[in-house]
Amino acid sequence: METLVHNFNPVLPNSLFLRKSSSSRFSFNQVRIISSGQHRRGGNLRMALAAQDSVIQKKIIIPNKHGEKLVGVLHETESPEIVILCHGFRSSKENKTMVNLAVALENEGISAVRFDFAGNGESEGSFQYGNYWREVDDLHSVIQHFSAANRVIRAILGHSKGGNVVLLYASKYHDVYKVVNVSGRYDLTEGIEKRLGKDFMQRIKEHGFIDVKSIQGDFIYRVSEESLMDRLSTNMHEACLQIDKECRVFTVHGSHDTIVRSLDAFEFDKIIPNHKLHVIDGCDHGYVHYQGYLASIVLDFIKDASVTEQDGTTS
């Protein structure tokens, strides 16, 4: 793949969040795009505030295959198409990135739903470390719910752990033809020591679990041996090789991500058949100063009509 470096105007137009927007600003021509950091300030737009009066939000409840109620928020435009947004580890549908992306999509006339995985946010169930394939099941339940209502799933998007979930979904099911992986982790054996400590395997073998605590010593969550092995046995490399070549995958990552290294994004780029990569220079894991910019490039990808979501054929 060719590497293309862009220097963007440092100010993104506020019209991004108007109901009628201009045409896509960036073209995608099977290139790897590495953007400059000059657009940082323009990316920090107040999306939710700008759209408070126009966004139609409905709380929805969808049962998963385990009988647990998944709670979501539907940004309804009454369009036949819908985008499903998946939050990251120990997060929820109320995460700023999830809310802002949903608002941006809604303002483009595209319905979106953000939901809590089981054991997170308002959804039923107990929180579990790992749980990647079970969260794939949750996503499948949400997709089935909207497909049964004759809605077309235009794209699925996940941030951080949610990025892994949407990729795993695409590897198992072949019914969605646009997937957006925002800062997903390629090697799931990485990042564990930082959370659990250097001797995590020894301690979990001895006690059967590890309690993760705050700096102040307060209990946060428990990692069982079973849930740890669930993560260690989830192989993103093998899964991504199973993604259909007609499925377009867009990976976005920040160059200054200290939670999931940006090198992981390049590993995805090597193995996913129909893949585009956009690394944002200077951006962190939470896209703190890049919310507007992230929405802009995601919208461009989702609105690109070169693939029909119904059958995956190229135009």
Side-chain angles (χ1 to χ4, degrees):
M1 287 187 181
E2 178 185 357
T3 299
L4 186 62
V5 180
H6 283 283
N7 290 308
F8 294 112
N9 189 302
V11 179
L12 288 177
N14 289 325
S15 61
L16 171 63
F17 304 105
L18 297 178
R19 178 71 62 183
K20 301 294 184 182
S21 69
S22 59
S23 60
S24 296
R25 285 174 295 284
F26 314 119
S27 61
F28 291 88
N29 298 306
Q30 291 298 102
V31 298
R32 180 181 301 134
I33 302 175
I34 303 178
S35 60
S36 77
Q38 294 183 9
H39 52 268
R40 170 191 285 185
R41 296 185 183 276
N44 191 19
L45 301 180
R46 295 175 175 83
M47 303 179 209
L49 292 177
Q52 277 180 344
D53 296 331
S54 62
V55 175
I56 303 170
Q57 298 182 16
K58 300 178 181 179
K59 182 167 285 190
I60 58 172
I61 296 177
I62 300 170
N64 66 12
K65 65 182 290 185
H66 305 285
E68 298 160 331
K69 293 178 180 177
L70 305 176
V71 180
V73 173
L74 172 62
H75 293 242
E76 182 63 271
T77 68
E78 298 185 356
S79 66
E81 299 180 320
I82 192 166
V83 174
I84 300 175
L85 307 175
C86 302
H87 65 78
F89 178 73
R90 294 193 69 249
S91 186
S92 78
K93 64 183 180 304
E94 303 305 326
N95 173 268
K96 178 174 66 174
T97 299
M98 297 293 99
V99 173
N100 286 344
L101 287 172
V103 170
L105 287 159
E106 195 271 346
N107 286 340
E108 289 289 319
I110 303 170
S111 293
V113 64
R114 46 189 173 91
F115 74 98
D116 295 326
F117 288 111
N120 293 268
E122 296 182 276
S123 290
E124 293 181 344
S126 59
F127 172 80
Q128 297 291 332
Y129 186 81
N131 244 23
Y132 287 85
W133 286 106
R134 182 156 173 160
E135 292 190 357
V136 170
D137 289 341
D138 285 352
L139 176 56
H140 189 226
S141 295
V142 175
I143 288 175
Q144 285 183 312
H145 172 84
F146 285 102
S147 296
N150 296 317
R151 305 293 285 267
V152 175
I153 311 303
R154 185 160 184 172
I156 53 177
L157 177 149
H159 173 240
S160 193
K161 184 184 179 184
N164 291 95
V165 172
V166 296
L167 291 172
L168 291 170
Y169 182 92
S171 76
K172 182 175 181 179
Y173 302 98
H174 306 288
D175 53 1
V176 177
Y177 292 96
K178 282 189 178 179
V179 175
V180 184
N181 161 36
V182 181
S183 305
R185 188 184 296 277
Y186 171 77
D187 185 354
L188 293 178
T189 66
E190 296 290 331
I192 301 175
E193 184 177 294
K194 186 175 181 179
R195 289 187 188 273
L196 305 184
K198 292 183 178 181
D199 57 346
F200 68 89
M201 283 301 296
Q202 178 183 342
R203 286 189 292 132
I204 209 160
K205 291 292 185 184
E206 289 178 358
H207 305 290
F209 65 88
I210 294 174
D211 285 342
V212 178
K213 299 181 179 180
S214 67
I215 297 175
Q216 293 75 24
D218 298 324
F219 174 83
I220 304 177
Y221 61 92
R222 174 166 290 185
V223 178
S224 67
E225 183 175 358
E226 180 183 4
S227 63
L228 175 61
M229 297 313 296
D230 177 273
R231 171 165 171 160
L232 291 172
S233 63
T234 302
N235 189 319
M236 293 305 302
H237 179 89
E238 292 301 321
C240 287
L241 293 177
Q242 304 304 314
I243 296 175
D244 193 290
K245 66 179 182 180
E246 300 297 342
C247 177
R248 298 182 69 196
V249 179
F250 183 37
T251 291
V252 184
H253 214 108
S255 68
H256 286 32
D257 189 334
T258 59
I259 306 299
V260 179
R261 59 180 189 168
S262 59
L263 290 176
D264 285 31
F266 291 91
E267 294 300 322
F268 285 126
D269 193 48
K270 292 176 184 177
I271 61 172
I272 298 175
N274 192 353
H275 188 261
K276 293 182 176 70
L277 171 62
H278 193 128
V279 176
I280 305 175
D281 186 30
C283 181
D284 64 356
H285 191 69
Y287 295 81
V288 173
H289 299 294
Y290 297 83
Q291 290 287 303
Y293 185 72
L294 174 64
S296 177
I297 60 175
V298 165
L299 282 169
D300 284 341
F301 176 75
I302 290 175
K303 290 167 63 180
D304 187 341
S306 61
V307 169
T308 59
E309 285 73 27
Q310 290 85 351
D311 60 13
T313 57
T314 57
S315 60

